[in-house]
Amino acid sequence: GAVVSQHPSRVICKSGTSVKIECRSLDFQATTMFWYRQFPKQSLMLMATSNEGSKATYEQGVEKDKFLINHASLTLSTLTVTSAHPEDSSFYICSARVEGPGNTIYFGEGSWLTVV
Amino acid sequence: KQEVTQIPAALSVPEGENLVLNCSFTDSAIYNLQWFRQDPGKGLTSLLLIQSSQREQTSGRLNASLDKSSGRSTLYIAASQPGDSATYLCAAPNSGNTPLVFGKGTRLSVIA
């Protein structure tokens, strides 16, 4: 079945630095990918929709200048958390949609970000 | 905008018991609905995907139903086992197809 890979799975960064998380569709092309954030004991909240070759669409309340999303190819979307703060510490997970019948969505393994 | 609600928030049952998890959604014009499992500190495992034209899907001890007209879905787990302990998430598209909107989940504990 389709596989979505995220990297890194865990990252610790210092406050004020930037960190990039990659989301790759390994065996299919994805024109649309989605980025979610999950705080402890909370559900997944959609941050933005990443569109290949165009600007991402951000959900209300998500700062586009802080969470930079780049979808430069049909198999790769990146999320960069800029000027990270401890409150950005969270579980970030991406998903990709397989175009076609069913439009199945596959999720990556997620990335744990800890800002110290 | 789609809203997904899951009841109960937490459930504790003895091993072997059959149980039902509930999910409701506000926008019934959905393309499909999915149930996921999430273990502590881990990502998502897709359990069942029900297309809008279907009323239920089964996989092993799991059975998920979908009633679009009432905006409800249920996940039935038969003969529960301690290994079933996890958080179960229901997700429906925001509109038509994607993206998925998640409920807050039901934390299930199956006690041996």
Side-chain angles (χ1 to χ4, degrees):
Chain A
V3 177
V4 175
S5 176
Q6 265 185 256
H7 178 81
S9 58
R10 290 184 179 273
V11 58
I12 300 173
C13 72
K14 291 184 177 181
S15 184
T17 63
S18 297
V19 60
K20 179 185 290 186
I21 302 171
E22 294 185 346
C23 178
R24 294 182 182 272
S25 56
L26 297 184
D27 54 0
F28 66 98
Q29 294 183 330
T31 56
T32 305
M33 293 185 177
F34 306 95
W35 286 96
Y36 291 83
R37 178 170 55 184
Q38 184 181 36
F39 291 109
K41 298 187 178 180
Q42 299 294 315
S43 190
L44 282 77
M45 298 300 295
L46 180 67
M47 297 176 67
T49 300
S50 172
N51 305 298
E52 188 271 333
S54 63
K55 292 182 179 179
T57 304
Y58 290 82
E59 294 298 298
Q60 189 174 9
V62 178
E63 300 174 57
K64 62 180 181 180
D65 294 328
K66 179 173 181 62
F67 299 99
L68 301 179
I69 292 174
N70 185 292
H71 195 155
S73 76
L74 287 171
T75 60
L76 174 64
S77 175
T78 60
L79 168 67
T80 301
V81 182
T82 63
S83 187
H85 290 280
E87 56 264 32
D88 297 324
S89 299
S90 184
F91 184 62
Y92 293 86
I93 189 167
C94 72
S95 66
R97 184 178 68 192
V98 178
E99 305 290 344
N103 283 286
T104 305
I105 297 174
Y106 293 92
F107 282 81
E109 309 96 327
S111 300
W112 281 102
L113 170 63
T114 301
V115 184
V116 298
Chain B
K1 188 175 181 179
Q2 183 73 272
E3 293 182 7
V4 178
T5 304
Q6 289 188 246
I7 297 174
L11 181 64
S12 183
V13 299
E15 181 178 7
E17 197 163 291
N18 303 325
L19 58 101
V20 175
L21 307 181
N22 297 292
C23 171
S24 61
F25 46 94
T26 55
D27 184 353
S28 60
I30 58 174
Y31 199 81
N32 53 42
L33 182 141
Q34 286 188 250
W35 282 92
F36 295 87
R37 168 182 173 145
Q38 186 176 32
D39 293 285
K42 302 294 184 181
L44 302 180
T45 300
S46 180
L47 296 175
L48 289 164
L49 167 66
I50 311 176
Q51 300 293 348
S52 61
S53 58
Q54 299 172 322
R55 293 192 65 84
E56 65 177 345
Q57 278 285 336
T58 298
S59 176
R61 295 182 293 108
L62 304 180
N63 176 279
S65 68
L66 175 62
D67 184 345
K68 286 181 58 178
S69 61
S70 66
R72 294 179 182 178
S73 176
T74 62
L75 179 66
Y76 175 83
I77 302 177
S80 58
Q81 303 171 357
D84 295 331
S85 298
T87 295
Y88 290 81
L89 296 164
C90 167
N94 189 34
S95 63
N97 191 351
T98 52
L100 292 179
V101 176
F102 286 82
K104 292 185 177 181
T106 295
R107 294 188 304 278
L108 173 65
S109 296
V110 181
I111 303 170

